[in-house]
Amino acid sequence: MKKRKKRTPSHEAVVATAHSAGGLREAAVLRPGNGIDFVEVRLDCLDGNINRLRSSVEKIRVPLILTARHPREGGAGALGSRQRAQLLKAFLPLASMVDIELRSAQSLRDVVAEAKQQRVDLILSFHDFSRTPSPTRLRAKVRQALRVGASIVKIATTLRGPSDLVSLLALQSSSDQLATMGMGDLGKVSRLVLPLAGARLVYGYLDRPQVEGQWPADVLAARLAELSS
């Protein structure tokens, strides 16, 4: 396996999520410099045959983020920690970054250590699919993730109204290592506003969305380019 060049973004970067066979096929035709900066490969959603999956992932030329999501934070297949660790370790040599939930930092500590050894940058993430927690709780999550050694802290919450978006904007302004984003009715708005406020990563989809409030990745890249020009 050819080692991917590392690239931790210093500004907002568009991530296209590949969580199906169709998404992997679309990811394989992307070229660096087309507005999409990373492809997130959702290992928990994809073919469990590692050799077959590797042949698909190796065709992707855009830098990779690896994710094998915890079932309580949107993961597919009810994978346990051991299964998720095996998947992530198998693909680490291809990755620029690896995304592990903050709740899993201890149970997947071997993956965290191996990522550090291989100089794969660490995203520690927190997802809430029902609401946006209080600012105090969100700030505590960020502090905890930074103590663990995250290069980027990803916070994704469900926005029930404008005040929740304001909370994420305030949180985003507290650190330059954050990637905040919303889900739900205001999700699309948040994924335009928060990158302009400094969010390091913003996620769109390739063949189909995973959560309400996502843009198609190519449309998202174009909209952000328009707003930034």
Side-chain angles (χ1 to χ4, degrees), residues 23-46:
L24 285 178
R25 288 192 294 270
E26 290 191 27
V29 302
L30 296 174
R31 296 294 179 266
N34 68 350
I36 294 174
D37 301 286
F38 293 92
V39 168
E40 180 194 47
V41 177
R42 280 289 304 269
L43 296 169
D44 54 299
C45 298
L46 297 166

Side-chain angles (χ1 to χ4, degrees), residues 89-90 92-93 109-120:
K89 287 181 179 181
L92 272 180
R109 60 189 178 276
D110 290 347
V111 178
V112 173
E114 191 163 327
K116 183 177 180 180
Q117 183 179 16
Q118 295 191 33
R119 298 183 179 179
V120 174

Side-chain angles (χ1 to χ4, degrees), residues 1 47 49-59 89-91 94:
M1 289 186 289
D47 188 341
N49 183 298
I50 287 180
N51 290 330
R52 189 160 53 233
L53 182 54
R54 182 182 291 118
S55 68
S56 296
V57 173
E58 287 179 334
K59 296 174 183 176
K89 287 181 179 181
F91 289 89
L94 295 174

Side-chain angles (χ1 to χ4, degrees), residues 2 9 17 22 39 53 60 70 72 74 83 109 112-113 121 124 139 159 163 176 182 185 191 215 222 225:
K2 185 178 179 180
T17 298
V39 168
L53 182 54
I60 302 172
H70 191 289
R72 291 182 64 184
Q83 293 169 288
R109 60 189 178 276
V112 173
D121 288 317
L124 285 176
R139 288 194 296 270
L159 305 178
S163 62
D176 61 3
D185 291 343
R191 290 169 196 244
W215 293 85

Side-chain angles (χ1 to χ4, degrees), residues 2-8 38 63-67 88-89 91-100 111-124 149-152:
K2 185 178 179 180
K3 184 73 173 179
R4 299 290 183 183
K5 184 178 180 181
K6 312 300 181 305
R7 184 167 175 265
T8 299
F38 293 92
L64 298 180
I65 298 173
L66 297 181
T67 304
L88 291 168
K89 287 181 179 181
F91 289 89
L92 272 180
L94 295 174
S96 294
M97 294 190 282
V98 60
D99 179 346
I100 293 172
V111 178
V112 173
E114 191 163 327
K116 183 177 180 180
Q117 183 179 16
Q118 295 191 33
R119 298 183 179 179
V120 174
D121 288 317
L122 177 64
I123 301 168
L124 285 176
S151 298
I152 295 176

Side-chain angles (χ1 to χ4, degrees), residues 12 155 159 165-172 178-182 187 189-202 224:
E12 75 276 0
I155 303 288
L159 305 178
L165 179 54
V166 171
S167 292
L168 288 188
L169 279 165
L171 181 69
Q172 182 59 56
L178 272 173
T180 56
M181 64 204 72
V189 174
S190 78
R191 290 169 196 244
L192 297 178
V193 172
L194 289 164
L196 297 179
R200 298 280 293 278
L201 302 170
V202 58
L224 288 171

Side-chain angles (χ1 to χ4, degrees), residues 77-109:
L79 300 180
S81 296
R82 181 176 296 181
Q83 293 169 288
R84 293 164 59 222
Q86 289 173 341
L87 281 171
L88 291 168
K89 287 181 179 181
F91 289 89
L92 272 180
L94 295 174
S96 294
M97 294 190 282
V98 60
D99 179 346
I100 293 172
E101 307 81 19
L102 182 57
R103 73 166 72 233
S104 300
Q106 179 62 23
S107 61
L108 297 182
R109 60 189 178 276

